[in-house]
Amino acid sequence: AQSVSQHNHHVILSEAASLELGCNYSYGGTVNLFWYVQYPGQHLQLLLKYFSGDPLVKGIKGFEAEFIKSKFSFNLRKPSVQWSDTAEYFCAVSPNTNAGKSTFGDGTTLTVKP
Amino acid sequence: DAGITQSPRHKVTETGTPVTLRCHQTENHRYMYWYRQDPGHGLRLIHYSYGVKDTDKGEVSDGYSVSRSKTEDFLLTLESATSSQTSVYFCAISERGDETQYFGPGTRLLVL
């Protein structure tokens, strides 16, 4: 079975600071990778995803993530955060099979101070 | 936003009572999921469905059952609610070939 580890449980940044959230997974086969975001009081929504091709993936709101296969990592980055980025961020992995199941990390809460 | 609704959105119940949560989709997606979200635990899969009347257990299925008699509806039942089942429950859908999951607005359940 696959597992996902998000090392940072809570990150606090000032506006304009750069962001990097770590995500590592364990699975022996081919995977699809996702970052979801949950703004306060809202449901999860997709931020970006990687299925194949260019390992540097760009998502909404200036976020990007890089898939490094040798490190089993899919870290999320943003060069300059805004107060509105305050949210909980979840990394998820889905084996490249027909099951459609994803395993989620425990989440990282990002607080951006104005 | 994907057409996913959950009902009820909030519920308070007492220990030992049965509770049914409903997820309804208008996207005709094949896969449907039920998760619970608890602080420090992220999202944990309770049950999922890969078609009408085809369901399987997730990692935290004890005390929960599901049914899917129509493509658009996925019901989660707590046969006898316990305080440990106090949580926020999210339904999600996805389609074969696109593993992206689309989430409903969630149901806050409090078991007293």
Short mmCIF file of all heavy atoms in Angstrom, two decimals, chain B residues 32-79:
data_model
loop_
_atom_site.label_atom_id
_atom_site.label_comp_id
_atom_site.label_asym_id
_atom_site.label_seq_id
_atom_site.Cartn_x
_atom_site.Cartn_y
_atom_site.Cartn_z
N MET B 32 -16.98 7.06 -6.55
CA MET B 32 -17.41 7.92 -5.45
C MET B 32 -16.74 7.44 -4.17
O MET B 32 -16.48 6.25 -4.00
CB MET B 32 -18.93 7.91 -5.30
CG MET B 32 -19.66 8.46 -6.53
SD MET B 32 -21.44 8.63 -6.32
CE MET B 32 -21.54 10.10 -5.28
N TYR B 33 -16.48 8.39 -3.28
CA TYR B 33 -15.71 8.11 -2.08
C TYR B 33 -16.35 8.79 -0.88
O TYR B 33 -16.92 9.87 -1.00
CB TYR B 33 -14.27 8.64 -2.21
CG TYR B 33 -13.58 8.32 -3.52
CD1 TYR B 33 -13.80 9.11 -4.64
CD2 TYR B 33 -12.71 7.24 -3.61
CE1 TYR B 33 -13.17 8.81 -5.84
CE2 TYR B 33 -12.07 6.95 -4.81
CZ TYR B 33 -12.31 7.74 -5.91
OH TYR B 33 -11.68 7.45 -7.10
N TRP B 34 -16.14 8.20 0.26
CA TRP B 34 -16.44 8.86 1.52
C TRP B 34 -15.16 8.93 2.35
O TRP B 34 -14.49 7.91 2.56
CB TRP B 34 -17.50 8.10 2.32
CG TRP B 34 -18.90 8.42 1.93
CD1 TRP B 34 -19.77 7.64 1.25
CD2 TRP B 34 -19.60 9.63 2.23
NE1 TRP B 34 -20.98 8.28 1.09
CE2 TRP B 34 -20.91 9.51 1.69
CE3 TRP B 34 -19.28 10.81 2.90
CZ2 TRP B 34 -21.86 10.51 1.79
CZ3 TRP B 34 -20.23 11.81 3.00
CH2 TRP B 34 -21.51 11.66 2.46
N TYR B 35 -14.85 10.14 2.82
CA TYR B 35 -13.71 10.38 3.69
C TYR B 35 -14.20 11.00 4.99
O TYR B 35 -15.22 11.66 5.05
CB TYR B 35 -12.73 11.39 3.07
CG TYR B 35 -12.03 10.93 1.83
CD1 TYR B 35 -12.55 11.19 0.57
CD2 TYR B 35 -10.80 10.28 1.91
CE1 TYR B 35 -11.88 10.80 -0.58
CE2 TYR B 35 -10.12 9.88 0.77
CZ TYR B 35 -10.66 10.15 -0.47
OH TYR B 35 -9.98 9.76 -1.61
N ARG B 36 -13.38 10.84 6.02
CA ARG B 36 -13.55 11.65 7.21
C ARG B 36 -12.28 12.47 7.41
O ARG B 36 -11.17 12.02 7.09
CB ARG B 36 -13.87 10.80 8.44
CG ARG B 36 -12.86 9.75 8.82
CD ARG B 36 -13.29 9.02 10.09
NE ARG B 36 -13.21 9.88 11.28
CZ ARG B 36 -13.65 9.55 12.48
NH1 ARG B 36 -14.20 8.36 12.67
NH2 ARG B 36 -13.53 10.37 13.50
N GLN B 37 -12.49 13.68 7.89
CA GLN B 37 -11.36 14.58 8.14
C GLN B 37 -11.31 14.93 9.61
O GLN B 37 -12.27 15.48 10.16
CB GLN B 37 -11.48 15.85 7.30
CG GLN B 37 -10.27 16.77 7.44
CD GLN B 37 -10.37 18.02 6.61
OE1 GLN B 37 -11.45 18.51 6.31
NE2 GLN B 37 -9.23 18.55 6.18
N ASP B 38 -10.19 14.64 10.22
CA ASP B 38 -9.98 14.92 11.65
C ASP B 38 -8.65 15.62 11.82
O ASP B 38 -7.69 15.31 11.10
CB ASP B 38 -9.97 13.62 12.46
CG ASP B 38 -11.23 12.80 12.24
OD1 ASP B 38 -12.27 13.23 12.77
OD2 ASP B 38 -11.18 11.76 11.56
N PRO B 39 -8.56 16.54 12.77
CA PRO B 39 -7.29 17.25 13.00
C PRO B 39 -6.14 16.28 13.22
O PRO B 39 -6.24 15.36 14.01
CB PRO B 39 -7.59 18.07 14.26
CG PRO B 39 -9.06 18.24 14.26
CD PRO B 39 -9.62 16.98 13.69
N GLY B 40 -5.05 16.52 12.50
CA GLY B 40 -3.87 15.68 12.67
C GLY B 40 -3.88 14.39 11.88
O GLY B 40 -2.89 13.67 11.87
N HIS B 41 -5.01 14.09 11.25
CA HIS B 41 -5.12 12.83 10.50
C HIS B 41 -5.39 13.05 9.02
O HIS B 41 -5.47 12.10 8.26
CB HIS B 41 -6.23 11.97 11.08
CG HIS B 41 -5.92 11.43 12.44
ND1 HIS B 41 -5.12 10.32 12.63
CD2 HIS B 41 -6.29 11.84 13.66
CE1 HIS B 41 -5.03 10.09 13.93
NE2 HIS B 41 -5.72 11.00 14.57
N GLY B 42 -5.53 14.28 8.60
CA GLY B 42 -5.80 14.52 7.19
C GLY B 42 -7.12 13.91 6.77
O GLY B 42 -8.10 13.91 7.52
N LEU B 43 -7.13 13.37 5.59
CA LEU B 43 -8.32 12.70 5.05
C LEU B 43 -8.10 11.20 5.10
O LEU B 43 -7.09 10.70 4.63
CB LEU B 43 -8.54 13.11 3.60
CG LEU B 43 -9.13 14.48 3.34
CD1 LEU B 43 -9.05 14.79 1.86
CD2 LEU B 43 -10.56 14.54 3.81
N ARG B 44 -9.06 10.51 5.63
CA ARG B 44 -8.98 9.05 5.67
C ARG B 44 -10.17 8.44 4.94
O ARG B 44 -11.32 8.82 5.19
CB ARG B 44 -8.90 8.56 7.11
CG ARG B 44 -7.60 8.94 7.81
CD ARG B 44 -7.54 8.40 9.22
NE ARG B 44 -8.48 9.08 10.10
CZ ARG B 44 -8.68 8.76 11.38
NH1 ARG B 44 -8.02 7.75 11.91
NH2 ARG B 44 -9.54 9.44 12.11
N LEU B 45 -9.87 7.51 4.08
CA LEU B 45 -10.90 6.89 3.25
C LEU B 45 -11.72 5.89 4.06
O LEU B 45 -11.18 4.99 4.70
CB LEU B 45 -10.26 6.20 2.05
CG LEU B 45 -11.20 5.56 1.05
CD1 LEU B 45 -12.05 6.61 0.35
CD2 LEU B 45 -10.40 4.75 0.02
N ILE B 46 -13.05 6.05 4.01
CA ILE B 46 -13.94 5.16 4.74
C ILE B 46 -14.39 4.02 3.83
O ILE B 46 -14.19 2.84 4.12
CB ILE B 46 -15.16 5.92 5.27
CG1 ILE B 46 -14.73 7.12 6.12
CG2 ILE B 46 -16.05 4.99 6.10
CD1 ILE B 46 -15.88 8.04 6.51
N HIS B 47 -15.05 4.38 2.77
CA HIS B 47 -15.50 3.43 1.75
C HIS B 47 -15.43 4.13 0.40
O HIS B 47 -15.46 5.36 0.32
CB HIS B 47 -16.95 3.01 1.99
CG HIS B 47 -17.16 2.00 3.06
ND1 HIS B 47 -16.96 0.65 2.87
CD2 HIS B 47 -17.58 2.15 4.34
CE1 HIS B 47 -17.24 0.01 3.99
NE2 HIS B 47 -17.62 0.89 4.90
N TYR B 48 -15.40 3.33 -0.66
CA TYR B 48 -15.50 3.91 -1.97
C TYR B 48 -16.34 3.00 -2.88
O TYR B 48 -16.60 1.84 -2.53
CB TYR B 48 -14.13 4.17 -2.59
CG TYR B 48 -13.33 2.94 -2.93
CD1 TYR B 48 -13.22 2.49 -4.24
CD2 TYR B 48 -12.65 2.25 -1.93
CE1 TYR B 48 -12.49 1.37 -4.54
CE2 TYR B 48 -11.91 1.12 -2.23
CZ TYR B 48 -11.82 0.69 -3.53
OH TYR B 48 -11.08 -0.42 -3.83
N SER B 49 -16.74 3.54 -4.00
CA SER B 49 -17.56 2.81 -4.95
C SER B 49 -17.00 3.00 -6.35
O SER B 49 -16.63 4.11 -6.74
CB SER B 49 -19.00 3.32 -4.90
OG SER B 49 -19.76 2.79 -5.97
N TYR B 50 -16.96 1.90 -7.09
CA TYR B 50 -16.47 1.96 -8.46
C TYR B 50 -17.58 1.64 -9.46
O TYR B 50 -17.31 1.29 -10.62
CB TYR B 50 -15.25 1.05 -8.66
CG TYR B 50 -15.36 -0.29 -8.01
CD1 TYR B 50 -15.85 -1.39 -8.71
CD2 TYR B 50 -14.97 -0.46 -6.70
CE1 TYR B 50 -15.95 -2.62 -8.11
CE2 TYR B 50 -15.07 -1.71 -6.08
CZ TYR B 50 -15.56 -2.79 -6.79
OH TYR B 50 -15.66 -4.02 -6.19
N GLY B 51 -18.80 1.75 -9.00
CA GLY B 51 -19.95 1.57 -9.87
C GLY B 51 -21.17 1.26 -9.04
O GLY B 51 -21.08 1.04 -7.82
N VAL B 52 -22.32 1.25 -9.70
CA VAL B 52 -23.56 0.94 -9.01
C VAL B 52 -23.46 -0.44 -8.37
O VAL B 52 -23.08 -1.41 -9.01
CB VAL B 52 -24.75 1.01 -9.97
CG1 VAL B 52 -26.02 0.53 -9.28
CG2 VAL B 52 -24.93 2.42 -10.50
N LYS B 53 -23.74 -0.48 -7.09
CA LYS B 53 -23.72 -1.70 -6.28
C LYS B 53 -22.34 -2.30 -6.12
O LYS B 53 -22.20 -3.41 -5.58
CB LYS B 53 -24.71 -2.73 -6.82
CG LYS B 53 -26.15 -2.25 -6.79
CD LYS B 53 -27.13 -3.32 -7.19
CE LYS B 53 -28.56 -2.77 -7.12
NZ LYS B 53 -29.56 -3.77 -7.54
N ASP B 54 -21.30 -1.59 -6.55
CA ASP B 54 -19.92 -2.05 -6.36
C ASP B 54 -19.22 -1.13 -5.38
O ASP B 54 -18.94 0.03 -5.69
CB ASP B 54 -19.16 -2.04 -7.69
CG ASP B 54 -19.63 -3.12 -8.63
OD1 ASP B 54 -20.00 -4.21 -8.13
OD2 ASP B 54 -19.65 -2.88 -9.84
N THR B 55 -18.96 -1.66 -4.18
CA THR B 55 -18.31 -0.85 -3.16
C THR B 55 -17.19 -1.65 -2.51
O THR B 55 -17.15 -2.87 -2.61
CB THR B 55 -19.31 -0.40 -2.08
OG1 THR B 55 -19.79 -1.55 -1.37
CG2 THR B 55 -20.47 0.36 -2.69
N ASP B 56 -16.30 -0.93 -1.85
CA ASP B 56 -15.21 -1.59 -1.16
C ASP B 56 -14.80 -0.75 0.04
O ASP B 56 -15.12 0.44 0.13
CB ASP B 56 -14.02 -1.78 -2.08
CG ASP B 56 -13.14 -2.95 -1.66
OD1 ASP B 56 -13.34 -3.48 -0.53
OD2 ASP B 56 -12.26 -3.34 -2.44
N LYS B 57 -14.11 -1.39 0.98
CA LYS B 57 -13.72 -0.72 2.21
C LYS B 57 -12.47 0.11 2.02
O LYS B 57 -11.57 -0.24 1.25
CB LYS B 57 -13.47 -1.77 3.30
CG LYS B 57 -14.70 -2.57 3.68
CD LYS B 57 -14.34 -3.59 4.75
CE LYS B 57 -15.59 -4.39 5.16
NZ LYS B 57 -15.26 -5.39 6.20
N GLY B 58 -12.41 1.17 2.80
CA GLY B 58 -11.20 1.96 2.89
C GLY B 58 -10.45 1.63 4.16
O GLY B 58 -10.66 0.58 4.78
N GLU B 59 -9.61 2.55 4.61
CA GLU B 59 -8.74 2.26 5.75
C GLU B 59 -9.45 2.38 7.10
O GLU B 59 -8.96 1.84 8.09
CB GLU B 59 -7.52 3.19 5.72
CG GLU B 59 -7.86 4.66 5.83
CD GLU B 59 -6.62 5.55 5.82
OE1 GLU B 59 -5.77 5.40 6.71
OE2 GLU B 59 -6.53 6.41 4.93
N VAL B 60 -10.59 3.09 7.17
CA VAL B 60 -11.27 3.26 8.45
C VAL B 60 -12.75 2.91 8.31
O VAL B 60 -13.63 3.71 8.63
CB VAL B 60 -11.10 4.70 9.00
CG1 VAL B 60 -9.67 4.94 9.44
CG2 VAL B 60 -11.51 5.74 7.97
N SER B 61 -13.05 1.72 7.85
CA SER B 61 -14.42 1.35 7.51
C SER B 61 -15.23 0.80 8.70
O SER B 61 -16.46 0.70 8.61
CB SER B 61 -14.41 0.32 6.39
OG SER B 61 -13.67 -0.82 6.80
N ASP B 62 -14.57 0.44 9.80
CA ASP B 62 -15.31 -0.16 10.92
C ASP B 62 -16.37 0.80 11.45
O ASP B 62 -16.09 1.95 11.74
CB ASP B 62 -14.34 -0.52 12.05
CG ASP B 62 -13.48 -1.73 11.71
OD1 ASP B 62 -13.81 -2.41 10.71
OD2 ASP B 62 -12.51 -1.99 12.43
N GLY B 63 -17.60 0.29 11.57
CA GLY B 63 -18.70 1.09 12.09
C GLY B 63 -19.46 1.85 11.02
O GLY B 63 -20.44 2.54 11.32
N TYR B 64 -19.04 1.69 9.78
CA TYR B 64 -19.68 2.38 8.65
C TYR B 64 -20.11 1.37 7.59
O TYR B 64 -19.43 0.36 7.37
CB TYR B 64 -18.73 3.36 7.99
CG TYR B 64 -18.17 4.45 8.86
CD1 TYR B 64 -16.94 4.29 9.49
CD2 TYR B 64 -18.85 5.65 9.04
CE1 TYR B 64 -16.40 5.29 10.28
CE2 TYR B 64 -18.32 6.66 9.82
CZ TYR B 64 -17.09 6.47 10.44
OH TYR B 64 -16.56 7.47 11.22
N SER B 65 -21.19 1.66 6.92
CA SER B 65 -21.59 0.90 5.74
C SER B 65 -22.03 1.88 4.66
O SER B 65 -22.32 3.06 4.95
CB SER B 65 -22.74 -0.06 6.07
OG SER B 65 -23.89 0.65 6.48
N VAL B 66 -22.04 1.42 3.43
CA VAL B 66 -22.40 2.28 2.31
C VAL B 66 -23.33 1.55 1.36
O VAL B 66 -23.43 0.32 1.38
CB VAL B 66 -21.16 2.77 1.52
CG1 VAL B 66 -20.33 3.76 2.33
CG2 VAL B 66 -20.32 1.60 1.05
N SER B 67 -24.00 2.34 0.55
CA SER B 67 -24.80 1.75 -0.52
C SER B 67 -24.82 2.69 -1.71
O SER B 67 -24.78 3.93 -1.55
CB SER B 67 -26.23 1.48 -0.04
OG SER B 67 -26.90 2.69 0.25
N ARG B 68 -24.88 2.10 -2.88
CA ARG B 68 -24.96 2.89 -4.11
C ARG B 68 -25.90 2.17 -5.07
O ARG B 68 -25.50 1.24 -5.76
CB ARG B 68 -23.58 3.08 -4.74
CG ARG B 68 -23.59 4.10 -5.87
CD ARG B 68 -22.21 4.44 -6.30
NE ARG B 68 -22.19 5.40 -7.39
CZ ARG B 68 -21.13 5.57 -8.17
NH1 ARG B 68 -20.03 4.86 -7.97
NH2 ARG B 68 -21.19 6.45 -9.15
N SER B 69 -27.13 2.59 -5.07
CA SER B 69 -28.15 1.97 -5.91
C SER B 69 -28.31 2.71 -7.24
O SER B 69 -28.90 2.18 -8.18
CB SER B 69 -29.49 1.91 -5.19
OG SER B 69 -29.89 3.22 -4.81
N LYS B 70 -27.81 3.93 -7.29
CA LYS B 70 -27.85 4.72 -8.52
C LYS B 70 -26.50 5.40 -8.72
O LYS B 70 -25.79 5.65 -7.75
CB LYS B 70 -28.94 5.81 -8.42
CG LYS B 70 -30.34 5.28 -8.27
CD LYS B 70 -31.35 6.41 -8.30
CE LYS B 70 -31.26 7.29 -7.07
NZ LYS B 70 -32.33 8.32 -7.05
N THR B 71 -26.15 5.69 -9.96
CA THR B 71 -24.87 6.33 -10.23
C THR B 71 -24.70 7.60 -9.43
O THR B 71 -23.61 7.90 -8.95
CB THR B 71 -24.75 6.66 -11.73
OG1 THR B 71 -24.79 5.44 -12.48
CG2 THR B 71 -23.45 7.39 -12.04
N GLU B 72 -25.76 8.36 -9.28
CA GLU B 72 -25.64 9.70 -8.71
C GLU B 72 -25.64 9.76 -7.19
O GLU B 72 -25.32 10.78 -6.62
CB GLU B 72 -26.75 10.61 -9.25
CG GLU B 72 -28.16 10.08 -9.02
CD GLU B 72 -28.69 9.30 -10.19
OE1 GLU B 72 -27.88 8.61 -10.86
OE2 GLU B 72 -29.91 9.37 -10.43
N ASP B 73 -26.02 8.66 -6.51
CA ASP B 73 -26.16 8.72 -5.06
C ASP B 73 -25.27 7.70 -4.36
O ASP B 73 -25.21 6.52 -4.74
CB ASP B 73 -27.61 8.46 -4.64
CG ASP B 73 -28.51 9.63 -4.98
OD1 ASP B 73 -28.04 10.78 -4.92
OD2 ASP B 73 -29.69 9.38 -5.32
N PHE B 74 -24.61 8.17 -3.31
CA PHE B 74 -23.74 7.30 -2.50
C PHE B 74 -24.05 7.61 -1.05
O PHE B 74 -23.83 8.72 -0.58
CB PHE B 74 -22.29 7.59 -2.85
CG PHE B 74 -21.29 6.59 -2.33
CD1 PHE B 74 -21.61 5.24 -2.21
CD2 PHE B 74 -20.01 6.98 -1.99
CE1 PHE B 74 -20.68 4.32 -1.77
CE2 PHE B 74 -19.06 6.07 -1.54
CZ PHE B 74 -19.40 4.74 -1.43
N LEU B 75 -24.59 6.63 -0.34
CA LEU B 75 -25.02 6.82 1.03
C LEU B 75 -24.02 6.22 2.01
O LEU B 75 -23.53 5.11 1.79
CB LEU B 75 -26.39 6.17 1.26
CG LEU B 75 -27.53 6.62 0.34
CD1 LEU B 75 -28.81 5.88 0.71
CD2 LEU B 75 -27.73 8.12 0.43
N LEU B 76 -23.76 6.96 3.07
CA LEU B 76 -22.91 6.48 4.16
C LEU B 76 -23.78 6.34 5.40
O LEU B 76 -24.44 7.30 5.80
CB LEU B 76 -21.77 7.47 4.42
CG LEU B 76 -20.85 7.14 5.59
CD1 LEU B 76 -19.99 5.93 5.27
CD2 LEU B 76 -19.97 8.35 5.94
N THR B 77 -23.75 5.16 6.02
CA THR B 77 -24.56 4.92 7.21
C THR B 77 -23.69 4.55 8.39
O THR B 77 -22.81 3.69 8.27
CB THR B 77 -25.58 3.79 6.96
OG1 THR B 77 -26.48 4.20 5.92
CG2 THR B 77 -26.39 3.49 8.22
N LEU B 78 -23.95 5.24 9.49
CA LEU B 78 -23.37 4.86 10.77
C LEU B 78 -24.46 4.08 11.49
O LEU B 78 -25.49 4.64 11.86
CB LEU B 78 -22.99 6.10 11.57
CG LEU B 78 -21.81 6.95 11.10
CD1 LEU B 78 -22.07 7.62 9.78
CD2 LEU B 78 -21.44 7.98 12.17
N GLU B 79 -24.27 2.79 11.63
CA GLU B 79 -25.34 1.94 12.15
C GLU B 79 -25.72 2.30 13.58
O GLU B 79 -26.88 2.29 13.95
CB GLU B 79 -24.91 0.47 12.07
CG GLU B 79 -24.57 -0.01 10.67
CD GLU B 79 -25.79 -0.12 9.76
OE1 GLU B 79 -26.93 -0.05 10.27
OE2 GLU B 79 -25.61 -0.25 8.54
#
